[in-house]
Amino acid sequence: MKYAPYERLVMPARPSAGLGRLAIGIIVIAFVHFALIQGVFAVLRALMSAEGYFDLVSSIQRADTATALLAVLILTGSMGLGAIVASEMVHGRSFASLIGPRMAMLRQFKLVLRPLAILLAISLLLLTLVGGRDLLPGVPFGTWMQLLPLTVLALLIQTGAEELVFRGYLQSQLAARFGNPAVWIFVPSLIFAVLHYQPEVYGENARFFVIWSFLFGVLAADLTARTGTLGPAIAIHFANNFTALALVSLKGDMSGLALWQLPYGPEAVAAIRAHMPGEFLFLVIYWLAARLALRV
């Protein structure tokens, strides 16, 4: 009964719950995502000099400037558009059937985000008191404040798009086909985790980020099933990414919007391994805080 609210997302998926259609839908999502990104880069290449274009592409790959990281986050939105197209064309499902009742989703998003913001403020206070002297300055505060509306919008686009694909579309289609929650919770979470495997960036630590991503996927899937909307999953996803990308980032890649940077980058094996238990703990605390806020 704890997952009874999830029926709001599963019921619209039942008429087209076949695995063949799901496979076609995934192909459509990948095609839309790839085509839109290639289209954007094709336009940029036509408008820019060859040198300027390749400098831009290199900057986006590193995402170590504000413009580059904003571009990466916003371009991720093409995944969400792909999920909407696949749902409409392949399954005859509306956008609303992927997110749940709009007002309920927004209310749950706000309810979850409030305690997470408090937890984040406490953790930042502790960080500055205990280890603040080790942090490196990132984006100057004045510039950071000017960028903040764009940062929030870009993060909402990125996290919303990923939740649309993995929790809104893939999870509900699998739940319509398989009654066992282990299938529709673990399979999308595993795919989500594998797509976060980046050994070229994180080296030996890449597997730890995969495990973290899998755990995040499981907890986000659980919240989605308990509430019947994407609001809570988007809220914890947004809070986590805002912390890691806009407040305190690793040095180097993906640091273009961060107010502070850690004194080491993704290549620091020992430092990141020491940091990971805290990341796992905070993720579980976020999940518990969301459940307490929603009383589910």
Side-chain angles (χ1 to χ4, degrees):
M1 292 299 294
K2 66 181 179 179
Y3 290 155
Y6 195 43
E7 184 66 16
R8 293 187 294 200
L9 299 185
V10 177
M11 184 172 63
R14 286 205 174 93
S16 58
L19 294 182
R21 285 203 186 190
L22 179 59
I24 295 171
I26 291 172
I27 292 171
V28 170
I29 293 172
F31 174 79
V32 171
H33 178 53
F34 178 80
L36 286 176
I37 290 178
Q38 291 302 310
V40 169
F41 280 104
V43 171
L44 291 174
R45 187 164 190 171
L47 296 175
M48 300 175 67
S49 66
E51 182 179 356
Y53 172 76
F54 287 114
D55 286 344
L56 176 64
V57 171
S58 177
S59 175
I60 289 176
Q61 288 175 338
R62 297 190 307 273
D64 56 359
T65 67
T67 300
L69 184 49
L70 285 171
V72 169
L73 296 173
I74 292 171
L75 286 172
T76 305
S78 59
M79 292 176 57
L81 290 175
I84 295 170
V85 172
S87 296
E88 291 278 2
M89 291 182 58
V90 180
H91 304 279
R93 296 180 60 183
S94 67
F95 170 68
S97 75
L98 298 177
I99 65 173
R102 184 172 63 89
M103 295 307 297
M105 184 197 75
L106 293 174
R107 180 179 60 83
Q108 292 172 356
F109 175 84
K110 293 175 183 177
L111 282 173
V112 171
L113 201 58
R114 287 170 189 165
L116 298 190
I118 295 171
L119 287 171
L120 178 57
I122 294 171
S123 64
L124 283 176
L125 178 61
L126 293 174
L127 178 64
T128 54
L129 290 176
V130 176
R133 288 175 295 179
D134 296 329
L135 296 178
L136 303 175
V139 178
F141 182 73
T143 304
W144 186 84
M145 287 297 296
Q146 291 177 340
L147 288 170
L148 187 58
L150 278 176
T151 301
V152 169
L153 176 61
L155 283 170
L156 286 173
I157 290 172
Q158 178 252 328
T159 55
E162 292 187 359
E163 293 308 314
L164 268 176
V165 172
F166 292 98
R167 260 61 69 179
Y169 173 74
L170 184 56
Q171 180 177 319
S172 63
Q173 285 298 141
L174 286 172
R177 178 64 177 80
F178 300 98
N180 188 344
V183 176
W184 47 265
I185 287 179
F186 291 142
V187 171
S189 300
L190 182 60
I191 297 172
F192 180 76
V194 169
L195 291 176
H196 282 77
Y197 181 61
Q198 296 179 284
E200 71 282 1
V201 176
Y202 297 109
E204 297 178 28
N205 289 321
R207 63 182 182 273
F208 292 107
F209 286 94
V210 169
I211 296 170
W212 183 95
S213 299
F214 177 75
L215 177 60
F216 173 86
V218 169
L219 298 183
D222 175 77
L223 286 175
T224 302
R226 287 176 183 272
T227 60
T229 84
L230 290 189
I234 294 174
I236 64 168
H237 203 158
F238 173 83
N240 175 80
N241 287 16
F242 184 83
T243 304
L245 298 178
L247 290 177
V248 183
S249 74
L250 291 169
K251 183 179 178 181
D253 289 0
M254 305 294 286
S255 64
L257 293 169
L259 189 58
W260 299 289
Q261 295 182 27
L262 294 168
Y264 51 83
E267 72 286 349
V269 176
I272 289 180
R273 286 187 180 180
H275 188 66
M276 288 307 292
E279 292 290 328
F280 284 105
L281 177 61
F282 260 97
L283 184 54
V284 174
I285 291 173
Y286 276 7
W287 173 71
L288 290 173
R291 288 192 57 186
L292 285 172
L294 297 167
R295 299 180 181 179
V296 294

